[in-house]
Amino acid sequence: MLTEKHEAAANPGQPKGDPVCRRLSSLALIFLLLTLSGLSFLLRNILTLENLSYNTASMLFQPQNSSHPALAQKGPRPPYKNHTICSHLEPTPDEALEDRALLDAIAWPKPPAPTSLNQTSDPVHSLFAILPSKGGRERRVGDQLEALVQMQDFQGRPKHYGGDFLVARLHSPELGAGVAGTVVDHLNGSYSALFPLLWEGPAQVTITMVHSSEAVAVLQRLREQRSDRFFFRSLFRLGKLSETSVCNMCLPHNRPQEPLCNYTDLHTGEPWYCLKPKRLSCDTRINHQRGGNTNDLVTHKEALLFQSLVNIKVVVHASGPDRIDVLPKKIDDQELENRSIEPGPVKYNPSGYYYKGSWRSFDGTPVRQFDAKSITQCLTGKVINMYGDSTMRQWFEYLKAFVPEFNLRSTSWTGPLMAVDSQHNILLKYRCHNVPISVPTIIASELRYVANELDRLPGGPNTVVALSLWAHFTPFPVEVYIRRMRHIRRALERLLARGPGTLVVIRSANLRALDKELSLNHSDWFSLQLDRVLRNMFMGLAVVFVDAWEMTLAHHSPHNLHPPPDVIKNMINLVLTQVCPAKKS
């Protein structure tokens, strides 16, 4: 009797209907279907591979868990949600604590909504008065001067709430002297301007209203709700094909349905996006350039709050004398005892003041005056690394008059720039900071984050790092600036640890000329807020501050984004004094 196996071998022409063959046929069919499915899946992934390449960067980045010790707080960490910047960049709990402390430190009083322009602050109707000294004594060097400001509206009625943005200066044109005052808001329409008396002779008080409290409330709204009011573009090109696309920090919020190119920095996590070109890939990006700003930011009623010569940087007049004469410092023991027990406002100590046109540090450290020869002597053997915006480029341009520039064939407004004196072994370098820098154009490959550049420096006693980043951040939420400064602070901590003796100089923001359009995006109020954040975040770190805010406020020249040569010279003297301090006798 033949088995089934034998029958199959004996009759090869017969159909194979046995169970084994049927199972083999089923397996072959299944294998074929799986192969077709795999090919379909592979093709679909090839088509979407580009999207994967520019959408995974932010998922790969994990921010460091660190906060500044000066702002550390104990107790439970409150929840913190930031709705003004890209939602995928939520801070860590420690960062959220620092964010909250910084935002509390720059909190500004909000006024009630006015019904008309007539109810808003009017600098012309407002007045200030120099308060008499205690006991009617003569004023001497070392005393403190106080002026009381009463703000009034356009109908001459006293204001009953605070929030106006005022700046104050005590100066003497005859002596080339000037010092910035501090303004204390009493939240009832009155303000105190405090000045230290630092020189003998005449001194004049000037109070200026930069913005009314109602205008500041509009600026706060724009910062919190219209972070898209400034935008940028990039050119994409491959061969003869080119496209231009809109770019910004928070395009996922603005254009949720459109594919994006994600240029988030993998090291720092700093976000940047462009709308994906229709016919080109994301890696064909050529440059970065200023796009423009939105014009429909304020209503007609709000626009009345931003009028040049009416309520933007207008002087408040004195109700009486605005000048005093200061006598030399001469205090006997009894008078010193009487003055020490008198109640009064807290003493205000500025960072410095001008006298005979030269800046003097308030702490008494002599600021050396440098000429061409002494600049070369001081910089011999040094590498000066300058990073930031055009206010830092001014420092490079000043110094290159003494150190020959090496032409790198780069644009003068973005750099990179370099000056070399091989005889004295001097190297000066300048590089602009990365986005959101607003320039006519810069090659995309030249965009570098300052924190990443700092991580490339070896550091050491012959290394100087100078930073100035603020002017291009004013249209954006404060959290954007906090995040950028946090990365730079961490990089500086690493630099100072591996390169002891490195000198780090940080230049603060300065005042600038304003009109309506500039006020809405680059107001001094925005700059002041960033300046306060900067000072708080670098408190306790071994850095030198150049107080550009006070140096421009105390100076007699009109406010300008780029301060005049006299101010720049004094800044450089202050820096070089730190680089080459006077030898102690």
Side-chain angles (χ1 to χ4, degrees):
M1 184 175 179
L2 296 174
T3 64
E4 292 179 354
K5 183 176 180 180
H6 292 152
E7 288 180 359
N11 301 287
Q14 296 297 321
K16 298 177 181 178
D18 61 279
V20 174
C21 291
R22 285 197 300 271
R23 282 196 298 273
L24 290 173
S25 299
S26 299
L27 290 172
L29 180 61
I30 292 171
F31 178 76
L32 178 63
L33 291 173
L34 287 173
T35 302
L36 292 174
S37 299
L39 287 172
S40 174
F41 178 79
L42 180 61
L43 288 173
R44 188 163 58 250
N45 276 274
I46 290 173
L47 292 173
T48 58
L49 183 59
E50 186 178 68
N51 286 337
L52 287 172
S53 69
Y54 61 73
N55 279 304
T56 55
S58 61
M59 291 186 290
L60 292 172
F61 170 71
Q62 294 295 329
Q64 289 178 291
N65 184 10
S66 174
S67 64
H68 195 244
L71 294 168
Q73 297 180 9
K74 297 181 179 180
R77 295 167 177 169
Y80 181 85
K81 283 282 186 180
N82 179 7
H83 300 288
T84 60
I85 59 175
C86 305
S87 58
H88 71 280
L89 287 169
E90 291 295 330
T92 66
D94 285 345
E95 291 172 347
L97 275 178
E98 182 181 38
D99 290 351
R100 186 173 298 281
L102 290 167
L103 295 175
D104 288 345
I106 63 171
W108 199 274
K110 292 187 177 181
T115 57
S116 69
L117 177 67
N118 287 337
Q119 293 181 320
T120 66
S121 301
D122 176 20
V124 174
H125 278 93
S126 303
L127 296 168
F128 79 86
I130 296 176
L131 298 184
S133 59
K134 300 292 184 181
R137 293 189 306 267
E138 67 280 357
R139 304 181 192 276
R140 294 186 177 273
V141 173
D143 290 346
Q144 180 169 265
L145 180 70
E146 181 178 2
L148 184 64
V149 187
Q150 178 60 58
M151 298 303 295
Q152 302 187 31
D153 63 20
F154 279 84
Q155 294 181 331
R157 297 173 300 191
K159 298 287 292 293
H160 298 292
Y161 51 86
D164 297 300
F165 178 24
L166 308 176
V167 294
R169 178 167 73 106
L170 186 69
H171 58 107
S172 174
E174 302 93 328
L175 299 174
V179 64
T182 188
V183 177
V184 179
D185 187 347
H186 299 299
L187 303 178
N188 58 5
S190 67
Y191 303 78
S192 290
L194 306 177
F195 311 91
L197 299 181
L198 300 171
W199 61 83
E200 177 188 349
Q204 180 179 353
V205 174
T206 298
I207 310 288
T208 302
M209 188 189 85
V210 182
H211 294 302
S212 66
S213 56
E214 294 80 11
V216 171
V218 174
L219 298 179
Q220 286 180 294
R221 176 181 63 79
L222 293 177
R223 187 178 66 186
E224 294 166 2
Q225 301 177 12
R226 293 300 304 272
S227 58
D228 62 338
R229 66 189 188 277
F230 225 77
F231 63 93
F232 305 85
R233 298 186 188 277
S234 275
L235 172 67
F236 294 78
R237 186 169 62 214
L238 182 63
K240 295 183 179 180
L241 186 62
S242 65
E243 296 181 61
T244 300
S245 184
V246 174
C247 306
N248 217 323
M249 281 188 190
C250 302
L251 284 174
H253 283 249
N254 302 335
R255 311 285 185 98
Q257 303 302 321
E258 300 186 54
L260 299 170
C261 292
N262 185 349
Y263 299 109
T264 297
D265 182 63
L266 291 177
H267 183 65
T268 63
E270 291 289 349
W272 194 255
Y273 302 91
C274 293
L275 296 180
K276 186 182 181 302
K278 290 179 172 55
R279 296 175 293 174
L280 293 173
S281 64
C282 294
D283 58 6
T284 61
R285 180 183 179 218
I286 299 297
N287 69 7
H288 164 83
Q289 57 190 265
R290 180 189 304 126
N293 56 279
T294 308
N295 294 320
D296 58 342
L297 295 174
V298 294
T299 65
H300 174 71
K301 179 179 175 182
E302 290 174 331
L304 297 176
L305 301 172
F306 299 94
Q307 301 180 69
S308 297
L309 305 179
V310 176
N311 46 22
I312 296 179
K313 288 205 172 182
V314 178
V315 170
V316 175
H317 294 289
S319 59
D322 62 355
R323 296 170 63 95
I324 62 168
D325 285 314
V326 183
L327 299 177
K329 189 172 185 177
K330 183 181 178 182
I331 303 176
D332 57 34
D333 294 340
Q334 185 61 43
E335 187 175 4
L336 179 61
E337 181 181 350
N338 292 338
R339 291 192 180 196
S340 65
I341 62 175
E342 289 176 352
V346 176
K347 283 277 187 179
Y348 162 61
N349 296 331
S351 62
Y353 63 102
Y354 290 103
Y355 187 73
K356 295 184 178 180
S358 296
W359 183 258
R360 298 185 175 187
S361 293
F362 186 77
D363 63 7
T365 303
V367 178
R368 297 178 59 191
Q369 303 301 305
F370 289 83
D371 56 16
K373 181 179 179 180
S374 56
I375 287 176
T376 300
Q377 290 175 341
C378 178
L379 294 180
T380 296
K382 297 290 192 294
V383 179
I384 314 296
N385 305 275
M386 291 167 269
Y387 304 102
D389 53 40
S390 56
T391 61
M392 178 52 61
R393 191 183 70 229
Q394 279 190 287
W395 288 15
F396 178 88
E397 291 169 347
Y398 181 91
L399 290 172
K400 78 175 185 180
F402 312 99
V403 181
E405 185 172 9
F406 185 85
N407 191 349
L408 295 176
R409 301 289 190 269
S410 56
T411 56
S412 60
W413 58 83
T414 60
L417 305 174
M418 181 182 293
V420 180
D421 182 343
S422 56
Q423 180 182 354
H424 297 95
N425 196 25
I426 301 172
L427 176 60
L428 309 179
K429 297 188 292 182
Y430 165 78
R431 181 178 287 277
C432 69
H433 67 74
N434 208 322
V435 292
I437 195 164
S438 179
V439 292
T441 185
I442 181 174
I443 299 173
S445 60
E446 290 292 355
L447 289 170
R448 312 282 178 83
Y449 286 101
V450 172
N452 293 342
E453 292 296 294
L454 293 174
D455 281 337
R456 296 186 178 99
L457 298 179
N462 292 320
T463 300
V464 179
V465 172
L467 306 173
S468 178
L469 296 86
W470 60 275
H472 298 266
F473 289 87
T474 53
F476 296 93
V478 179
E479 293 88 347
V480 170
Y481 190 69
I482 292 174
R483 186 177 63 237
R484 186 67 58 89
M485 292 303 105
R486 182 177 288 133
H487 293 312
I488 290 174
R489 186 180 66 200
R490 290 169 177 163
L492 287 176
E493 289 170 343
R494 294 189 290 268
L495 173 61
L496 293 171
R498 70 174 174 273
T502 303
L503 176 64
V504 178
V505 180
I506 298 180
R507 180 200 189 280
S508 75
N510 59 258
L511 295 100
R512 61 183 297 168
L514 294 176
D515 57 19
K516 175 196 167 186
E517 296 305 322
L518 282 172
S519 294
L520 297 179
N521 293 299
H522 303 290
S523 166
D524 287 342
W525 183 79
F526 293 133
S527 302
L528 176 65
Q529 295 265 290
L530 298 185
D531 187 51
R532 289 178 175 176
V533 167
L534 179 76
R535 294 168 192 266
N536 276 284
M537 291 194 71
F538 289 90
M539 186 185 305
L541 197 63
V543 299
V544 174
F545 275 99
V546 173
D547 198 333
W549 185 270
E550 288 193 10
M551 294 183 78
T552 51
L553 177 55
H555 200 261
H556 61 80
S557 62
H559 298 163
N560 193 312
L561 172 61
H562 300 111
D566 283 351
V567 175
I568 300 302
K569 178 182 178 181
N570 277 288
M571 289 181 179
I572 296 298
N573 285 338
L574 188 60
V575 172
L576 295 181
T577 297
Q578 297 294 325
V579 177
C580 304
K583 295 180 180 179
K584 296 181 179 180
S585 57

